[in-house]
Amino acid sequence: MVGQFKSAFAVGVSIIAMGVALPAHAQDGSADAEPAADTGGINEIIVTSQRREENLQDVPISVSAFTADQVLARGITDVGRLEGIVPGFTFGRSGQDARPSIRGVRTENVGVNGDTTIGFFIDGVYQSRATQATAGFVDVERVEVQRGPQGTLYGRNTFGGNIAITTAQPVLGEMLGGLDVTVGEYGRFRTDAFVNLPVSDTLAVRVAGSLEKSDGWVKNVNPLGNNLFDDDSKYLRATVLWEPNDQFSAAIKFDYSTRGGAGGSAFGYKIIGSYFDVGSRQQLYNGTPVLNLNTRGGNRDGVNDALPGGTATSDLGVPVFAPGDGYTIDTDQKTILDLENKAITANLAYDFGGITLRSITGYTDFGAIRTQDSDFSGNQIAIDYQDTRAETFSQEIQLLSSDTASRLDWVVGAYYFHDELTGVFINQQLPRIIRNVTPNLTLPQNGGGFYDQQRATTESVAFYGQATYEVVDNLRVTAGIRWTEDTKDFAFANANAVLPTSGTPPVPQGTAITLNTGPIPDSAFGAQGAATNCTYTTFPPPRPGFQCLAANTAVLTGATYDTAKFRKATWRLAVDYDVTPDNLLYASVSTGFRSGGFNSGQGPAALQPTFDPEEVTAYEIGSKNRFFDNTVQLNLAAFYNRYNGLQEQRQVPQGGTTLSIIENSGRARAYGGEAELLWRPVTGLEIGANVAYLNAKYTEYDQVPAPFGTSILVTDATQTTPTIVNGVQIAAAGQRRVFAPGYDCGLIPGTGGTGQPAAAFGCDISGNSIPHSPDWTGAVFAGYDIDLGSLGTLTPFAIMTFSSSFFGQPFNSVLEQQPSFQKVDLRLTWAPTDFISIQGFVNNVTDERTINRFVWGGGGALQASFAPPRQWGALLSIRF
């Protein structure tokens, strides 16, 4: 670790030295706002973190913001590019799902049975699906990242913070336009364009759009498959602004986007390996790491596999292709991405003189279809399919004070949200062709497949208010509260090998699950509160609302759960003080929560049909400062967050695949500090850095089953009697139960006894680090506008981001660890005029290969997704 940070420090010093060494006679090319002085200075950025327009430096909240010019100059093309640039913000991704993390809060559940953990807003409208956050930025005005719970002004879906995008609004009375053309590695070609049309003195229209094509940067050597992370996207947005007078404004926005190609698979696309107990040749979590074996179900090639220190005596799977290389795969199924998003947004405001009434309305119709090669190999074994649909409506009404002379600023509001969600997951098992041996093996398919459809509805109502009062000059007190009620309904239907498709009562189809299986009749989902027809004797007992096959009442088809309501009052108290006009101190305590929900009840998930809300209490002190005649900006924050019931995602075996369920951990806490430094000593020279320290751990989290192989039975002649724990036999005579090494594991109380579920084993992982929570993250950057006289300006820009190691799963095992790393991006921009610029860039210059998502899948195989490799390109920008 010391060596890693010495390297990071050396690179950072080099970047700063580059900026300092440049001549000090350049012209300011920044366009965020008017410069503070001809000799340099830091420009203001206006943000809306408190639901009103304010100077970033006056907001007593940890927030980072970037203007349109900074987004372009720094290559912030999507949410993932914010990693490192924003202190304490890390970004994970699986397929098209964004998985950001802030202060120990990460995005785990992206299914229709849960809400996002870190809110994603576009023009004030919440986007309910994690996939919506992976779209590229087009003609944006500003990007804001708020750290810490925003439960008062933004609500239950902002447990860890917010990412807020403000798109560029129409400008009255001006004809404006722009064109950006990007070309780059992997055949990348992207065009972004916008035009601003002044229809009249009171009406303007702004139209923006983009087209992008690129090959995938994960290369598939198998001609039967395709590359991953290609791009075939289209985006169109039209915004109409009407301001008939000084009091009223209305902005109506329509946008439409599609994305096709192969996509990026689903939960992960590369197998890392597994663990085995070498002596017994059984999979045992945290046993001996095996990095070159794909143990997914059905991956058997008739070849005995050698384990470290053991003799080859068992067929345990197939070799991992190009082990450790996250950018090369060998899969034989063509994956598909078919994403479509349609949205309408209306922002209306009327100033009554001292009070402003604002309405924010949003409607979204979203759909995404994704497939992946389920076995992660060049063998024909199985394919997965996901179809996610969301129809979302939200309405927010605000009243805000607008009297700048008053000592009291306030906002009150009401919020309504309705989300209709459908999620389908299909695992289709195929007749097996094992191609990694000669001659190829032809085997029957491995089971009948699996089908799971979930239907979820969320209706949320909230009322909130926040007021800030200046008690004496420069000293302000803020208090806010929000009351939220979430109403959730949930139903599922699934089957293993048989599926009801028609008839009353439903009759089994009698064939294996395929990607074309369906439709499912409503009767398969049962009815809320209705008596069950199920007679199966496995634990747990049948519940009201559960439905089984009429022809075989021991086969569960689905269920409709009782409606659940989650009510919570969240609040914020804060005080801030202007030590000088350029130095602010603040302290706050706030709360946040995220609703509970439901799990599909098939198999092991039936033991945990629901999960509870998670809650946080956050304490923060901070300071925002400008020094040395507005040439140095230093923002500091220290925080302590206390979490209860964090919602954790777990994969449980289900046929030839795994099913994702959610459970609550006990307690956790996170504390740390963040610093952002910006120095502009002269016009055009910018040097900056940020650093974040985070210590995030579970303080109570026990009885947790390992992802696989929590325990195994091995032969032991010395054990002459059965092993009994709490009256339950956990090993027969002549056998010994071995638990996952390195963990405190044992029998879960309440299992294995009469009338109880089968014996289950879990571990106490209290004290483990929360996943995706590196101790140290940060960045160092420098840029300068070099005056070339009549040839314009030349701006070199470099940024080095770094991270200490982190774990990808709660058990913190060695296979789940991403080591420390540094990444360097370089950009060189030539602007011959104020209206034209040409930029060359290289992202991840050293081609650092990092994993940003880990998940344990079927067969005890660790799946991973990698961050992009080194990529170069060029960008032509024209403005008129």
Coordinates of all heavy atoms in Angstrom, one line a residue, residues 169-172 196-197 199-200 202-206 239-244 248-252 347:
Q169 N -31.1 24.8 -20.9 CA -32.4 25.3 -21.2 C -32.4 26.3 -22.4 O -31.4 26.9 -22.7 CB -32.9 26.0 -19.9 CG -33.1 25.1 -18.7 CD -34.1 24.0 -19.0 OE1 -35.3 24.2 -19.2 NE2 -33.6 22.7 -19.0
P170 N -33.6 26.4 -23.0 CA -33.6 27.4 -24.1 C -33.3 28.8 -23.6 O -33.6 29.2 -22.5 CB -35.1 27.3 -24.6 CG -35.6 25.9 -24.1 CD -34.8 25.7 -22.9
V171 N -32.8 29.6 -24.5 CA -32.4 31.0 -24.2 C -33.2 31.9 -25.1 O -33.3 31.7 -26.3 CB -30.9 31.2 -24.5 CG1 -30.5 32.7 -24.2 CG2 -30.0 30.3 -23.7
L172 N -33.9 32.8 -24.5 CA -34.8 33.7 -25.2 C -34.0 34.7 -26.0 O -32.9 35.2 -25.5 CB -35.7 34.5 -24.2 CG -36.7 33.6 -23.5 CD1 -37.5 34.5 -22.5 CD2 -37.7 33.0 -24.4
N196 N -30.6 26.4 -30.6 CA -31.5 27.2 -29.8 C -32.2 28.2 -30.8 O -31.5 29.0 -31.4 CB -30.7 27.9 -28.7 CG -31.6 28.6 -27.7 OD1 -32.0 28.1 -26.7 ND2 -32.0 29.9 -28.0
L197 N -33.5 28.1 -30.8 CA -34.3 28.9 -31.8 C -35.2 29.9 -31.0 O -36.0 29.5 -30.2 CB -35.2 28.0 -32.6 CG -34.5 26.9 -33.4 CD1 -35.5 26.0 -34.1 CD2 -33.6 27.5 -34.5
V199 N -38.1 31.8 -31.0 CA -39.4 31.9 -31.8 C -40.0 33.3 -31.7 O -40.5 33.9 -32.7 CB -40.4 30.8 -31.3 CG1 -41.7 30.9 -32.1 CG2 -39.8 29.4 -31.4
S200 N -39.9 33.9 -30.5 CA -40.4 35.2 -30.2 C -39.6 35.8 -29.0 O -38.8 35.1 -28.5 CB -41.9 35.3 -30.0 OG -42.2 34.6 -28.8
T202 N -40.8 36.0 -26.2 CA -41.2 35.2 -25.0 C -41.1 33.7 -25.1 O -41.4 33.0 -24.2 CB -42.6 35.6 -24.6 OG1 -43.5 35.2 -25.7 CG2 -42.8 37.1 -24.3
L203 N -40.7 33.2 -26.3 CA -40.8 31.8 -26.6 C -39.5 31.4 -27.3 O -39.0 32.0 -28.2 CB -42.0 31.5 -27.5 CG -42.2 30.0 -27.7 CD1 -42.7 29.3 -26.5 CD2 -43.3 29.8 -28.8
A204 N -38.9 30.3 -26.8 CA -37.7 29.7 -27.4 C -37.8 28.2 -27.4 O -38.4 27.6 -26.5 CB -36.4 30.2 -26.7
V205 N -37.1 27.6 -28.3 CA -37.1 26.1 -28.4 C -35.6 25.7 -28.5 O -34.8 26.3 -29.3 CB -37.9 25.6 -29.6 CG1 -37.7 24.1 -29.8 CG2 -39.3 26.0 -29.6
R206 N -35.2 24.7 -27.8 CA -33.9 24.1 -27.9 C -34.0 22.6 -28.2 O -34.7 21.9 -27.5 CB -33.1 24.3 -26.6 CG -31.6 24.0 -26.7 CD -30.9 24.3 -25.4 NE -29.5 24.1 -25.4 CZ -28.6 25.1 -25.4 NH1 -29.0 26.4 -25.3 NH2 -27.3 24.9 -25.4
T239 N -36.9 21.0 -26.0 CA -37.4 21.8 -24.8 C -38.0 23.1 -25.3 O -37.3 23.8 -26.1 CB -36.3 22.0 -23.8 OG1 -35.6 20.8 -23.5 CG2 -36.8 22.7 -22.5
V240 N -39.2 23.4 -24.8 CA -39.8 24.6 -25.1 C -39.9 25.5 -23.9 O -40.4 25.0 -22.8 CB -41.3 24.4 -25.7 CG1 -42.0 25.7 -26.0 CG2 -41.2 23.5 -26.9
L241 N -39.4 26.7 -24.0 CA -39.5 27.7 -22.8 C -40.4 28.8 -23.2 O -40.2 29.5 -24.3 CB -38.1 28.2 -22.5 CG -38.0 29.3 -21.4 CD1 -38.4 28.7 -20.1 CD2 -36.6 29.9 -21.4
W242 N -41.3 29.1 -22.3 CA -42.3 30.2 -22.5 C -42.2 31.1 -21.3 O -42.5 30.6 -20.2 CB -43.7 29.7 -22.8 CG -44.7 30.8 -23.0 CD1 -44.5 31.9 -23.8 CD2 -46.0 30.9 -22.4 NE1 -45.6 32.7 -23.8 CE2 -46.6 32.1 -22.9 CE3 -46.7 30.1 -21.6 CZ2 -47.9 32.5 -22.6 CZ3 -48.0 30.5 -21.3 CH2 -48.6 31.7 -21.8
E243 N -41.8 32.3 -21.5 CA -41.8 33.3 -20.4 C -42.6 34.6 -20.8 O -42.0 35.5 -21.4 CB -40.4 33.7 -20.0 CG -39.6 32.6 -19.4 CD -38.2 33.0 -18.9 OE1 -37.8 34.1 -19.2 OE2 -37.6 32.2 -18.2
P244 N -43.9 34.6 -20.7 CA -44.7 35.7 -21.2 C -44.5 37.0 -20.4 O -44.8 38.1 -20.9 CB -46.1 35.2 -21.0 CG -46.1 34.2 -19.9 CD -44.7 33.5 -20.1
F248 N -43.9 34.6 -14.7 CA -44.2 33.2 -15.1 C -43.2 32.6 -16.1 O -42.8 33.3 -17.0 CB -45.6 33.1 -15.7 CG -46.0 31.7 -16.1 CD1 -46.4 30.8 -15.1 CD2 -46.1 31.3 -17.4 CE1 -46.7 29.5 -15.5 CE2 -46.4 30.1 -17.8 CZ -46.8 29.1 -16.8
S249 N -42.8 31.3 -15.9 CA -42.0 30.6 -16.8 C -42.5 29.2 -16.9 O -42.9 28.6 -15.9 CB -40.6 30.6 -16.5 OG -40.3 29.9 -15.3
A250 N -42.5 28.6 -18.1 CA -42.8 27.2 -18.3 C -41.8 26.6 -19.2 O -41.6 27.1 -20.3 CB -44.2 27.1 -18.9
A251 N -41.2 25.5 -18.8 CA -40.3 24.7 -19.6 C -40.9 23.3 -19.8 O -41.0 22.6 -18.8 CB -38.9 24.7 -19.0
I252 N -41.2 22.9 -21.0 CA -41.7 21.6 -21.3 C -40.7 20.8 -22.2 O -40.2 21.4 -23.2 CB -43.0 21.7 -22.1 CG1 -44.0 22.7 -21.5 CG2 -43.7 20.3 -22.3 CD1 -44.5 22.3 -20.1
N347 N -41.6 21.9 -16.1 CA -41.2 22.7 -15.0 C -41.9 24.0 -15.1 O -41.6 24.8 -16.1 CB -39.7 22.9 -15.0 CG -39.0 21.7 -14.3 OD1 -38.8 21.7 -13.1 ND2 -38.6 20.7 -15.1

